[in-house]
Amino acid sequence: MLAKREHLKNLPILYKKLIKESGIEESKIDRIAVTQGPGLEPALWTGIVFARELSVKLSIPLLPMNHMEGHIVASLIPDTSLGKEFKILKTIDFPAIALLISGGHTEIVKIKAIGEYEIIGQTRDDAVGEAFDKVARMLELPYPGGPEISKLAEDARKDNIKIKKDSNSEIRLPRPMIHSKDLNFSFSGLKTAVLYLLKKLGNDLENNISLKQRRAVALEFEEAVTEVLVSKITLALELHEAKALIIGGGVVANIHIRKTFEKLALDHSIPLYLPSSGLSGDNALMIALAGSKATIKPSDEGFNAKGNLSL
Ligand code: KG4
Ligand code: ZN
């Protein structure tokens, strides 16, 4: 409800600012794309009502978009288009495999064409971003936790902290489902393992975990997540003879994950598409561009918000 109230307040202000600063004439807008889901329904609904009123006022079509398609499209926006012409997406070969990692989702999607998606793997419980956020909270770091964990882990790398790869190591976390022969994930056990690890370290030191240990935990957590993602994507690329790899969603801002997938793409000689900086987190450009590629269907009139909309 708090998010809904903020949307109600901010959308008209944002729209006025957009029209003023972009110099776009309202009469030149030919369609409006709005997120239908997935997400928090009251907040989605506020966006839909606002967009619908605007589409009626301007007598133009309104298109319901999927937030996760937006994340796929965000990875295909050429750097040069920022601030200039937004209509063109990078052309890629199909089938492509997309790994979508955000606060609410962890999905592997097979893409036969833009608009033709099949989910071939997903998390059974927590999303990757959610796991980052929860582990950050355990380390008493602010929200969103992903960038905070990433900073700690990068500091650990600079300090050359190394975690021994045997299970007797003081700081060693599991890689859930890494050897399962499917493309699904599970991150809630990893999160619980961090909780127990922190308790154990805290007890040993009378609740006084050193900064070095915090960095080591962040490093080990980030590496555990990345290794699982890499193993599943390697399997997906092989099983589906993919010709392109797309990674999208807020977690792609993570430096270690980006670098690891850049290396994987080189090793597999597969073109990799990542969102440019500023476009990995939620943004309106990805929804506008997904809308610019979509077909207008008369049946789309009068749609509702769908909190659990799937690709
Ligand atoms: O796609 P997004 O902006 O929102 C959703 O659709 O959920 O993703 C947000 C998620 C949050 O969980 C946040 O902690 C995570 O992305 N995130 C990161 C980093 N930056 C944002 N996770 C790991 N490392 C980062 N640098
Ligand atoms: Zn998102």
Side-chain angles (χ1 to χ4, degrees):
M1 288 304 144
L2 198 64
K4 178 182 157 173
R5 272 213 303 275
E6 288 301 305
H7 279 6
L8 269 175
K9 188 177 87 196
N10 286 314
L11 281 174
I13 302 171
L14 191 60
Y15 181 69
K16 260 196 209 122
K17 200 168 163 216
L18 166 80
I19 293 298
K20 197 166 152 222
E21 288 180 9
S22 66
I24 294 171
E25 284 170 43
E26 276 192 320
S27 61
K28 294 252 168 71
I29 304 175
D30 55 6
R31 54 170 70 185
I32 299 179
V34 66
T35 308
Q36 181 182 24
L40 290 172
E41 275 188 11
L44 291 165
W45 183 237
T46 313
I48 294 172
V49 170
F50 181 84
R52 184 165 288 141
E53 275 172 16
L54 202 59
S55 77
V56 170
K57 183 181 136 202
L58 303 177
S59 303
I60 51 175
L62 178 67
L63 286 91
M65 304 313 305
N66 185 306
H67 179 77
M68 302 316 288
E69 179 176 29
H71 278 305
I72 293 173
V73 165
S75 300
L76 301 178
I77 301 174
D79 287 348
T80 49
S81 76
L82 285 175
K84 290 186 202 153
E85 177 67 57
F86 290 136
K87 283 196 178 152
I88 304 149
L89 294 184
K90 287 178 186 166
T91 44
I92 61 167
D93 289 332
F94 298 105
I97 292 291
L99 170 66
L100 302 180
I101 38 179
S102 70
H105 291 77
T106 300
E107 290 174 345
I108 304 180
V109 184
K110 182 172 182 180
I111 309 177
K112 289 182 208 120
I114 294 297
E116 278 184 54
Y117 310 110
E118 183 193 348
I119 296 175
I120 54 173
Q122 59 193 316
T123 182
R124 294 190 172 161
D125 38 60
D126 291 359
V128 175
E130 192 180 354
F132 268 94
D133 295 334
K134 287 178 177 167
V135 167
R137 196 154 39 165
M138 292 174 204
L139 289 165
E140 290 168 7
L141 297 165
Y143 180 87
E148 303 288 331
I149 300 270
S150 171
K151 260 186 249 156
L152 276 185
E154 287 303 319
D155 287 344
R157 287 187 189 95
K158 272 185 217 132
D159 282 357
N160 219 6
I161 295 178
K162 296 255 184 320
I163 313 292
K164 279 198 221 96
K165 294 217 179 283
D166 65 82
S167 48
N168 294 330
S169 157
E170 187 190 35
I171 295 170
R172 180 70 179 165
L173 293 167
R175 273 72 176 147
M177 294 180 73
I178 196 163
H179 296 303
S180 71
K181 297 275 172 251
D182 57 23
L183 298 174
N184 295 322
F185 304 92
S186 164
F187 291 106
S188 86
L190 176 59
K191 170 194 74 186
T192 314
V194 175
L195 185 69
Y196 287 131
L197 174 60
L198 289 175
K199 270 196 185 142
K200 189 181 112 222
L201 295 173
N203 282 343
D204 292 349
L205 293 160
E206 288 163 1
N207 286 328
N208 219 349
I209 302 174
S210 68
L211 178 61
K212 194 173 168 197
Q213 280 175 321
R214 287 156 61 86
R215 285 178 177 164
V217 173
L219 176 71
E220 174 65 358
F221 169 75
E222 195 178 76
E223 294 197 339
V225 169
T226 310
E227 281 173 31
V228 175
L229 295 177
V230 162
S231 135
K232 297 292 168 164
I233 286 304
T234 307
L235 184 60
L237 293 179
E238 283 165 11
L239 288 177
H240 296 275
E241 295 175 9
K243 299 208 174 73
L245 174 60
I246 296 171
I247 324 256
V251 182
V252 197
N254 186 283
I255 305 165
H256 178 66
I257 293 178
R258 283 181 96 94
K259 280 191 191 154
T260 307
F261 276 104
E262 275 160 6
K263 183 173 177 308
L264 178 141
L266 273 181
D267 292 347
H268 285 73
S269 310
I270 188 163
L272 172 70
Y273 300 90
L274 298 170
S276 53
S277 121
L279 292 179
S280 52
D282 293 350
N283 64 83
L285 180 58
M286 68 189 197
I287 300 303
L289 271 168
S292 76
K293 301 280 157 206
T295 325
I296 298 167
K297 292 183 239 121
S299 58
D300 281 340
E301 259 174 50
F303 58 87
N304 280 324
K306 282 197 187 141
N308 57 1
L309 185 67
S310 166
L311 267 174

